[in-house]
Amino acid sequence: MDYLKGLNPSQRQAVEQTEGPVMIVAGAGSGKTRVITYRVAHLIQKGIDPFNILVLTFTNKAAKEMRERIMKVVGSEAKNIWMGTFHSVFAKILRVEAEKIGYPNNFTIYDTDDSKSLLKAILKEMSLDDKLYNPNFVYGRISMAKNNLISAAEYLKNDQIQADDFSTGRGQLGQVYATYTARCFKAGAMDFDDLLFKTNVLLRDHPEVLHKYQHKFKYLMVDEYQDTNFSQYLIVKKLAAVNYNLCVVGDDAQSIYGFRGANIQNILNFQKDYPDVKVFKLEQNYRSTQNIVNVANSIIKNNENQLEKNVFSDNDEGDKVRITRSYSDNEEGKSVAESIIQERSTKSLDWNEFAVLYRTNAQSRSMEEGLRKLGVPYKIHGGMSFYQRKEIKDLIAYFRLTFNNNDEEAFKRVINYPARGIGKTTIDRMIVAADQYGKSLFEIALNAPQFLDNRAATAVGNFATMIQSFAAVAKTSTAYDAALHIAQHSTLLKDLYDDKSVEGLARYENIQELLNGIKEFSEREDIEDRNLSVFMEDVALLTNDDNEKAEDKDTVSLMTIHSSKGLEFNQVYVVGLEENLFPSQMSLNSRADLEEERRLFYVAVTRAENKLHLSYATSRFKFGTLVNCEPSRFLDEIDPKYLEIDLPKKSAFVSNEKSSFDNERTLWKSTTGGESKTNDVFSKPKPASAQKVKTTALLSKAHVPSPDFKPEDTSSLQVGQQVEHERFGFGKVLNLEGNKPDIKATIFFKDIGQKQLLLKFAKLRIVR
């Protein structure tokens, strides 16, 4: 019983309560895994047969870690526990019982690619437009139906579902679902969702099987219960209905998978399902400093739909949470990189003690570029490098082929993507001809009638002509105009836009993010040659990642917030805290969606152990256009006394510009009631009685040009003159160097600091 001595009172009570329904509400960093493993070990120590214990998790990693910990307490008996993910455990049961529902015991499990390949074949056989009936969308629709236990037959009979499908022009979705189900059954195959769906069918239609497993699993434990969907909920409820020994562990404040079908009501209503439940709250956070815990609490208290708890920490108070404002997403990336370098140096930390978290995968681009340029090693987790994503590589392959027609790998990658009726047989013939005549594939394409039949020759010839037209456009266009032309006229952009699935939307956003980066490159004022070929050289350097295979290298972690769940880092940077990005625009339609976004922010905040950095940009490129951004409403919800707001530092600005900082200084003092640790230009704090203002009063928007703004001839510009820049705002000329027409001006802009610009590209308005 020595293992119980290391538990706090709440943890120990939860471990020792082995009988009846139990709900353990485990706050972030509260030792949840320890409680689960010790509770299972305690059951075995009390004499419960491990074969009668079922523990369900959401990841194989979690199950492996728990089993190893249990073995340290009870030895090899831990191997006999039924422990694993929902899908692995019920696949094991189905292997035994499958014949009762008409499947062979050696049924095949289709992965996502298998399922989508079958769906593509069915759509082709039914002569359905694969743009309207995109396989990704269809797969997602069927998956959601199965997770809600709606069979194909019920799908076809449901008037509301049918009405929804017909209203979008997809009236045949039900028939596709039915055909897909029949084909899987005929092939003796189940897809990933079937492992739960068919388990429910098995337990519903075969009472003797339900009876068998109800009496086998005398004790059930479910980890991350807040992430269960309806299908999982029903299985657990049925299996626990006899012995009633069900323990669920979770945190409603960390329920962030609603888009996958997870239903937070499962944990919120647990006490209604089991009125005699014993509830234990693990409220002590062992991970984070007091300031970080206080910030997290001030955020999540704004959710109405939650279980009451008071998370606290006995750790050191720690640094205040820092909010940083940047002009653009690229500057945000640079700022994060500079901060990581400084923090690592001053606190003697390793690179792997830092993490950068973002709302969407597309945001990794600016973060990657900022880190690369300053030589900070990093690794993308839960995804791949921005420039290694398929859709990005596809468009870049078009760029490569435009500038180098002999690039064989680029040619093979895009000749039939998007689909243009050029099949594998045709490509193989071209490869043979190229080898035989010593020509490139593109040269074969230009002379396609000599090597291919009429239909194939026409399609291949059209492709070659299109690539030649791209080259002509690129010679006379900016990098952005050329890139956009290629993305549009290759039909790649349309192909991704027409895919309305969650995955398709993410791919389309990634392409837009690439175009945004090229747009910024096109408008840079520090280089003269800004065509697409120069941008491609930059990309070639960016994607030359020598450390790609060094999985164990000391690197900064980059990941979406969803991917970060369950992890922890010494220092965490949460970036892109802007309205319509975080919270996302899609989440603003309902309170439930907004509350899930707030829970996602809570998860991000609670990944940090010792220091948390929050940042946002006041402008961001979206769909090729620079737009102003508002700071996220979530920043307003943080109690200002836990914050340190990093405003632009005062520089060599003469006294008549002093007032431009006065408002920020006053707001800062009335908000925080204390001195900034990084900015020494503020005067003494105002009295405590000063009226507080919202945090976002400090988080100003990007510069809006004056109504009469128009770039002027600056060839006679003088030191000391006031100027206005369309994006950077108002500034003072501090220095001029060089000779016409290559004069460089050093200008201090009051909102973003000092910049050096080539006057012939600067587009300035002279104020006085």
Side-chain angles (χ1 to χ4, degrees):
M1 303 291 284
D2 288 344
Y3 58 89
L4 295 177
K5 295 179 181 178
L7 300 174
N8 67 35
S10 296
Q11 291 174 332
R12 180 159 184 162
Q13 290 170 13
V15 166
E16 293 181 322
Q17 181 62 49
T18 58
E19 306 302 310
V22 173
M23 179 167 70
I24 302 174
V25 182
S30 62
K32 176 196 70 171
T33 301
R34 169 185 281 193
V35 170
I36 295 174
T37 53
Y38 283 5
R39 190 173 189 277
V40 175
H42 193 62
L43 285 169
I44 296 173
Q45 294 284 54
K46 287 180 61 177
I48 304 300
D49 190 335
F51 284 100
N52 296 139
I53 301 172
L54 172 62
V55 182
L56 297 170
T57 67
F58 273 83
T59 66
N60 290 313
K61 179 183 177 182
K64 182 175 182 291
E65 180 184 354
M66 289 180 191
R67 193 184 298 275
E68 289 173 350
R69 289 195 188 187
I70 295 168
M71 286 182 69
K72 291 179 180 179
V73 179
V74 302
S76 60
E77 278 293 289
K79 296 179 180 179
N80 299 325
I81 303 166
W82 278 65
M83 176 182 288
T85 65
F86 278 87
H87 294 89
S88 65
V89 167
F90 296 120
K92 184 176 178 181
I93 291 175
L94 286 168
R95 290 289 181 202
V96 177
E97 313 291 350
E99 291 181 350
K100 294 182 174 63
I101 54 174
Y103 282 82
N105 295 117
N106 63 341
F107 61 85
T108 298
I109 299 176
Y110 277 173
D111 63 17
T112 301
D113 289 339
D114 295 325
S115 297
K116 291 180 180 178
S117 178
L118 175 57
L119 284 170
K120 288 178 183 177
I122 292 171
L123 294 172
K124 185 175 181 180
E125 293 165 12
M126 294 177 66
S127 300
L128 295 174
D129 182 357
D130 62 1
K131 297 292 189 293
L132 187 60
Y133 290 86
N134 183 281
N136 293 320
F137 174 84
V138 176
Y139 176 79
R141 185 78 167 177
I142 292 173
S143 175
M144 191 62 74
K146 289 183 179 180
N147 285 332
N148 285 283
L149 301 182
I150 300 173
S151 67
E154 291 169 325
Y155 191 103
L156 284 166
K157 292 177 183 177
N158 189 301
D159 292 337
Q160 182 60 55
I161 292 176
Q162 292 300 298
D164 289 344
D165 286 350
F166 275 101
S167 70
T168 61
R170 299 187 181 94
Q172 295 299 306
L173 267 176
Q175 191 55 54
V176 173
Y177 183 11
T179 304
Y180 172 76
T181 300
R183 293 278 280 274
C184 286
F185 184 76
K186 182 179 179 181
M190 297 186 196
D191 65 20
F192 203 59
D193 297 306
D194 279 329
L195 297 176
L196 300 181
F197 183 85
K198 299 299 182 184
T199 298
N200 271 293
V201 171
L202 176 69
L203 300 180
R204 179 195 67 192
D205 296 347
H206 297 274
E208 74 284 3
V209 175
L210 176 60
H211 180 272
K212 171 183 175 181
Y213 289 100
Q214 283 176 331
H215 288 79
K216 177 178 180 57
F217 300 131
K218 297 179 179 178
Y219 293 85
L220 280 75
M221 288 191 69
V222 183
D223 188 20
E224 304 286 8
Y225 190 67
Q226 77 279 352
D227 293 331
T228 54
N229 59 32
F230 179 63
S231 181
Q232 293 161 328
Y233 163 83
L234 203 57
I235 293 172
V236 169
K237 188 173 184 179
K238 286 182 177 179
L239 292 177
V242 170
N243 292 295
Y244 224 44
N245 295 322
L246 171 62
C247 174
V248 300
V249 186
D251 181 8
D252 60 295
Q254 298 186 67
S255 177
I256 60 173
Y257 294 113
F259 67 97
R260 293 182 186 171
N263 189 348
I264 192 175
Q265 296 303 320
N266 291 348
I267 192 168
L268 295 179
N269 293 334
F270 191 78
Q271 290 169 275
K272 294 181 180 178
D273 288 343
Y274 302 91
D276 55 343
V277 63
K278 298 287 193 301
V279 179
F280 301 96
K281 296 180 180 180
L282 309 183
E283 297 174 308
Q284 183 171 355
N285 182 308
Y286 292 94
R287 174 189 301 156
S288 307
T289 64
Q290 292 182 41
N291 262 324
I292 292 172
V293 170
N294 290 335
V295 165
N297 287 341
S298 67
I299 293 163
I300 202 63
K301 73 179 182 181
N302 292 278
N303 273 7
E304 294 180 3
N305 209 12
Q306 61 176 302
L307 298 171
E308 183 181 349
K309 58 184 174 295
N310 179 34
V311 178
F312 67 95
S313 174
D314 284 340
N315 295 336
D316 293 338
E317 181 180 359
D319 293 336
K320 288 189 175 184
V321 172
R322 188 175 188 180
I323 297 180
T324 302
R325 178 181 68 197
S326 299
Y327 170 73
S328 67
D329 47 353
N330 273 6
E331 287 196 10
E332 183 182 38
K334 179 185 176 184
S335 173
V336 167
E338 290 173 343
S339 176
I340 289 174
I341 290 172
Q342 180 180 0
E343 291 289 328
R344 177 177 180 266
S345 175
T346 58
K347 297 182 179 178
S348 300
L349 301 174
D350 294 327
W351 294 118
N352 59 21
E353 295 184 76
F354 296 88
V356 182
L357 310 182
Y358 34 78
R359 179 64 181 84
T360 66
N361 276 311
Q363 290 171 260
S364 74
R365 179 192 63 81
S366 56
M367 293 299 115
E368 286 188 76
E369 291 184 4
L371 294 170
R372 283 181 187 274
K373 287 177 180 178
L374 293 182
V376 177
Y378 69 89
K379 178 177 174 57
I380 301 285
H381 292 257
M384 62 184 72
S385 170
F386 181 85
Y387 290 102
Q388 293 300 313
R389 294 177 179 131
K390 178 187 180 300
E391 60 275 13
I392 301 301
K393 294 182 74 173
D394 288 337
L395 184 51
I396 287 178
Y398 272 108
F399 297 164
R400 286 165 48 189
L401 193 58
T402 295
F403 292 104
N404 178 10
N405 296 161
N406 295 325
D407 189 331
E408 183 173 327
E409 292 303 313
F411 183 96
K412 289 191 292 186
R413 186 177 187 95
V414 299
I415 187 173
N416 197 43
Y417 179 73
R420 46 181 63 92
I422 303 173
K424 184 177 183 299
T425 301
T426 297
I427 296 172
D428 288 343
R429 287 177 182 172
M430 294 177 67
I431 292 172
V432 170
D435 290 340
Q436 184 176 350
Y437 294 97
K439 295 181 180 296
S440 70
L441 286 174
F442 194 81
E443 289 173 313
I444 298 297
L446 287 173
N447 299 281
Q450 298 179 27
F451 308 101
L452 304 170
D453 59 45
N454 290 338
R455 185 195 63 77
T458 299
V460 170
N462 289 341
F463 172 77
T465 301
M466 178 183 69
I467 297 299
Q468 287 181 316
S469 73
F470 291 168
V473 170
K475 287 179 181 178
T476 59
S477 303
T478 66
Y480 176 74
D481 290 338
L484 183 61
H485 178 89
I486 294 170
Q488 290 175 334
H489 288 79
S490 66
T491 70
L492 184 149
L493 201 58
K494 183 179 185 302
D495 187 73
L496 294 174
Y497 179 80
D498 289 340
D499 181 357
K500 301 302 183 183
S501 67
V502 174
E503 297 88 347
L505 178 61
R507 285 191 286 269
Y508 180 73
E509 289 177 345
N510 287 337
I511 289 293
Q512 289 295 345
E513 184 63 16
L514 175 62
L515 294 174
N516 291 340
I518 299 174
K519 177 76 168 180
E520 290 188 11
F521 172 84
S522 297
E523 297 184 352
R524 282 175 59 181
E525 297 173 350
D526 57 339
I527 57 173
E528 293 189 36
D529 196 357
R530 291 168 284 181
N531 62 45
L532 189 56
S533 63
V534 176
F535 178 82
M536 290 301 299
E537 291 178 15
D538 287 350
V539 169
L541 294 173
L542 284 174
T543 56
N544 184 21
D545 190 351
D546 297 330
N547 303 320
E548 187 173 352
K549 295 181 180 179
E551 298 294 332
D552 57 348
K553 189 174 176 64
D554 182 20
T555 57
V556 174
S557 296
L558 269 63
M559 65 186 78
T560 64
I561 302 169
H562 283 99
S563 298
S564 75
K565 190 160 182 289
L567 303 178
E568 56 190 44
F569 301 90
N570 189 300
Q571 296 206 19
V572 169
Y573 293 75
V574 186
V575 301
L577 277 160
E578 300 143 31
E579 285 292 294
N580 298 320
L581 180 58
F582 196 15
S584 71
Q585 190 169 11
M586 298 284 288
S587 72
L588 304 180
N589 297 323
S590 71
R591 177 174 297 279
D593 290 340
L594 180 59
E595 291 202 350
E596 176 149 328
E597 284 288 291
R598 188 176 286 111
R599 293 194 294 270
L600 189 61
F601 186 33
Y602 177 86
V603 167
V605 167
T606 54
R607 299 311 94 199
E609 296 174 345
N610 291 311
K611 192 162 186 178
L612 174 67
H613 310 254
L614 308 176
S615 72
Y616 68 99
T618 57
S619 66
R620 187 177 293 270
F621 272 99
K622 293 184 180 179
F623 305 106
T625 302
L626 187 70
V627 298
N628 293 343
C629 302
E630 293 183 30
S632 170
R633 69 187 65 193
F634 295 153
L635 296 175
D636 255 344
E637 297 173 354
I638 303 174
D639 191 325
K641 67 185 178 183
Y642 305 125
L643 297 176
E644 171 189 336
I645 302 179
D646 186 15
L647 295 171
K649 293 184 180 181
K650 185 176 180 181
S651 185
F653 226 50
V654 293
S655 59
N656 62 352
E657 275 82 35
K658 178 178 178 294
S659 61
S660 66
F661 289 96
D662 285 346
N663 289 337
E664 290 181 334
R665 187 177 300 123
T666 301
L667 289 170
W668 169 262
K669 291 308 172 185
S670 63
T671 301
T672 64
E675 290 290 331
S676 163
K677 294 182 180 179
T678 62
N679 194 334
D680 61 0
V681 305
F682 296 108
S683 57
K684 294 180 180 180
K686 294 187 74 172
S689 59
Q691 182 180 5
K692 288 188 177 181
V693 296
K694 287 190 173 185
T695 301
T696 50
L698 287 168
L699 313 182
S700 60
K701 300 180 183 178
H703 175 69
V704 178
S706 302
D708 59 344
F709 179 85
K710 184 178 180 180
E712 300 178 31
D713 177 12
T714 55
S715 59
S716 59
L717 191 67
Q718 300 295 317
V719 172
Q721 283 189 285
Q722 304 292 317
V723 295
E724 181 184 12
H725 187 280
E726 186 175 19
R727 293 187 297 162
F728 302 152
F730 294 98
K732 180 183 180 66
V733 180
L734 302 180
N735 187 43
L736 296 169
E737 60 182 84
N739 300 314
K740 295 180 181 180
D742 298 317
I743 298 175
K744 289 183 179 179
T746 301
I747 304 174
F748 184 84
F749 294 98
K750 67 178 183 179
D751 290 329
I752 66 170
Q754 191 166 296
K755 287 279 186 182
Q756 192 172 66
L757 307 175
L758 276 172
L759 284 185
K760 63 182 179 181
F761 297 126
K763 298 179 181 179
L764 299 171
R765 179 178 78 90
I766 299 175
V767 178
R768 65 176 185 270

